[in-house]
Amino acid sequence: MEKDGGVVVATERYGSAEVWKYLAKDGAVERRRDDTEGDTRRGNSIVGVFKSVFLPQGFPESVSGDYLQYQFWDTLQAFSSSLSGTLATQASLRGVGVGNQEATVAAATVTWLLRDGTGMLGRILFAWHKGSKLDSEAKKWRLFADVLNDFAMFMEILAPYFPACFTVIVCAAGIFKSIVGVAGGATRAALTVHQARRDNMADISAKDGSQETLVNLAGLLVSLAIIPLVTNNPIPTLSLFFLFTILHLFANYKAVRSVVMETFNEARLSIVLQQYLKDKRVLTPQEANQREPVFFEFTKMMPVKLGVRLQEIVQSPEELQLALKKNNMPFLMGVRNGRVCVCLGPEASVHDEIRAMCQAAWISSTLSSHTQQGKQGHWETVHESHTLMDTIFSPFLKGVEAAGWDTKRTLLDWDEWRVEWKSKSN
């Protein structure tokens, strides 16, 4: 019952942003906004318009919990990258002869075409060689792309001071930027899949584009003030570039650190498994993501290769029998050429894939720490892994599901080989 005598007959809401109610009064129904503070209506309206333009529909319910924090740092890195890009573009234009009466249009055009051509070739080769890795290691490649982008812009700034090597330098920078384009775009798509909670990837991507456009517009206005101050002044140019680069890298690091993925890749699954083996505690997605490395590192751990051909595990009937020993799962495991290899059967489920990766991670950790030698020692470790997983995997899987992990899909880097093999009885 309202103070003026109206009776509330219905209420409605627009996500978590607005609440309205319908009042029955004097034979009519009146729609009224449910404001706790009437004076904030105009402010709420302005905020509502801003949210509808730059944030996905249904925010915050329609996106992951880490969306806002990630977008804040992503916006900051985009702004600093825009300013660094302005300095690099100015240097490139000066290098091809803009402002130099002795420079020819043909020479500048050839240099530009060579840079673009080598960049296109680099884009194709990188996508072919590393495309399948970008989903499983999205954080690492996202950060790698931004570091490489800063290095490429640094090369472009230095290029005019080495006129004899200018074309070679800008072509190399073009290759690096093409890699940045592939890695950055692909990992952005992977993060969008993570952020979309209502199958709203297109909306999130569109609003991300709007945010980036707004940031670039702000960067353009700041660049208009900066360019007259740094033109033909190398020291201010380099000083500002390093300042923007530090800000860019810091914001990128904070951005990827803020992402909390609930699906397993090799690193996150290994972290959760090692903690479980240590004290039977299952890490939450938040805890495991904080421990996940975001830089590429030279580790002493034995690498794991998933979805290999059968011949990469066994090369004789005796080795096939060793691979089948104590194994009732739709995958085979073995160690060859310093790698833990997993051969997957066509009927394997997602849970089988998770178990296979758990076994491979345990074998890798065990062999790396004990440096066992000889094929027989390797097979004994494989057999021990089957026995261990028969005991712990079921409670482990229940634990990770209870902790909030998504076990319906994974980001494990499986190759496409699938093998059917004869059992020992046959």
Side-chain angles (χ1 to χ4, degrees):
M1 183 73 67
E2 294 291 306
K3 293 181 180 179
D4 57 7
V7 178
V8 178
V9 296
T11 60
E12 65 183 5
R13 66 174 56 249
Y14 188 81
S16 59
E18 300 178 10
V19 178
W20 297 77
K21 52 190 174 185
Y22 290 83
L23 304 176
K25 181 179 179 182
D26 299 331
V29 176
E30 177 185 353
R31 183 174 184 263
R32 185 180 301 174
R33 185 167 185 152
D34 187 8
D35 280 328
T36 56
E37 298 181 13
D39 294 338
T40 64
R41 182 173 301 180
R42 177 173 176 79
N44 288 339
S45 177
I46 295 174
V47 172
V49 170
F50 182 86
K51 289 173 65 176
S52 66
V53 172
F54 293 106
L55 295 175
Q57 180 177 327
F59 173 86
E61 290 85 0
S62 63
V63 295
S64 60
D66 55 16
Y67 176 84
L68 197 60
Q69 186 178 2
Y70 174 84
Q71 291 302 125
F72 170 78
W73 291 112
D74 188 55
T75 299
L76 183 59
Q77 70 86 17
F79 178 73
S80 55
S81 180
S82 175
L83 298 179
S84 298
T86 299
L87 299 176
T89 300
Q90 182 198 36
S92 295
L93 293 174
R94 187 170 71 252
V96 297
V98 175
N100 184 357
Q101 296 181 353
E102 298 180 358
T104 64
V105 175
T109 303
V110 168
T111 299
W112 217 259
L113 291 177
L114 285 174
R115 189 195 71 161
D116 290 346
T118 53
M120 293 174 188
L121 182 61
R123 185 178 298 112
I124 294 172
L125 293 176
F126 179 76
W128 164 62
H129 189 56
K130 292 294 185 181
S132 63
K133 304 288 185 182
L134 301 178
D135 284 299
S136 60
E137 298 181 333
K139 295 182 185 180
K140 289 182 179 180
W141 283 109
R142 179 74 176 178
L143 193 56
F144 171 83
D146 288 299
V147 172
L148 189 61
N149 186 51
D150 289 332
F151 183 68
M153 288 191 291
F154 181 60
M155 292 176 64
E156 290 179 338
I157 289 176
L158 291 183
Y161 302 103
F162 302 91
C165 303
F166 178 80
T167 301
V168 175
I169 294 174
V170 296
C171 285
I175 293 175
F176 293 157
K177 283 195 170 184
S178 70
I179 295 174
V180 171
V182 175
T187 53
R188 173 68 260 185
L191 293 174
T192 301
V193 172
H194 157 70
Q195 293 171 340
R197 296 304 160 97
R198 293 182 180 173
D199 294 325
N200 55 339
M201 286 180 55
D203 186 29
I204 291 177
S205 297
K207 297 303 170 57
D208 184 65
S210 297
Q211 296 168 21
E212 187 172 352
T213 301
L214 180 64
V215 169
N216 288 337
L217 180 60
L220 175 64
L221 296 176
V222 175
S223 297
L224 291 175
I226 290 177
I227 289 301
L229 303 178
V230 300
T231 301
N232 297 321
N233 291 310
I235 294 180
T237 298
L238 290 174
S239 299
L240 286 175
F241 175 77
F242 285 124
L243 176 63
F244 297 146
T245 297
I246 292 172
L247 178 61
H248 179 237
L249 295 178
F250 174 75
N252 268 294
Y253 176 79
K254 296 291 288 185
V256 297
R257 271 293 176 213
S258 69
V259 176
V260 180
M261 289 189 168
E262 300 91 357
T263 48
F264 283 125
N265 64 357
E266 181 179 335
R268 291 190 288 274
L269 182 54
S270 298
I271 290 169
V272 174
L273 177 65
Q274 293 299 328
Q275 185 67 46
Y276 183 80
L277 292 173
K278 182 179 179 181
D279 58 11
K280 300 300 180 182
R281 184 169 71 91
V282 177
L283 298 176
T284 64
Q286 177 75 33
E287 293 171 324
N289 276 266
Q290 286 300 312
R291 298 187 188 184
E292 180 186 4
V294 294
F295 294 102
F296 289 106
E297 51 192 4
F298 297 98
T299 178
K300 295 181 179 180
M301 296 290 290
M302 184 176 290
V304 175
K305 191 173 182 181
L306 305 174
V308 302
R309 295 169 294 180
L310 182 61
Q311 69 179 22
E312 295 188 48
I313 295 179
V314 301
Q315 295 184 346
S316 68
E318 291 76 15
E319 287 190 331
L320 178 58
Q321 297 308 312
L322 286 171
L324 291 170
K325 183 179 179 181
K326 297 184 180 181
N327 181 13
N328 58 356
M329 302 303 299
F331 54 80
L332 299 177
M333 313 197 71
V335 179
R336 189 170 297 277
N337 299 325
R339 296 183 299 186
V340 181
C341 299
V342 183
C343 185
L344 196 65
E347 71 278 12
S349 66
V350 175
H351 288 178
D352 294 330
E353 294 179 3
I354 294 175
R355 170 166 170 162
M357 184 62 233
C358 286
Q359 285 189 230
W362 183 83
I363 294 171
S364 172
S365 176
T366 301
L367 294 181
S368 298
S369 60
H370 293 92
T371 61
Q372 295 189 35
Q373 301 294 327
K375 292 184 179 180
Q376 193 62 36
H378 291 163
W379 283 117
E380 289 175 359
T381 304
V382 171
H383 300 156
E384 290 175 13
S385 73
H386 288 303
T387 303
L388 174 66
M389 287 299 150
D390 286 340
T391 303
I392 72 163
F393 184 71
S394 181
F396 173 74
L397 185 63
K398 292 179 181 178
V400 297
E401 290 175 342
W405 290 96
D406 180 6
T407 60
K408 296 182 178 63
R409 64 186 184 94
T410 70
L411 293 173
L412 300 173
D413 185 25
W414 287 94
D415 206 345
E416 294 304 310
W417 294 103
R418 297 296 181 268
V419 183
E420 296 185 58
W421 52 85
K422 299 291 185 180
S423 65
K424 289 194 292 185
S425 61
N426 293 329

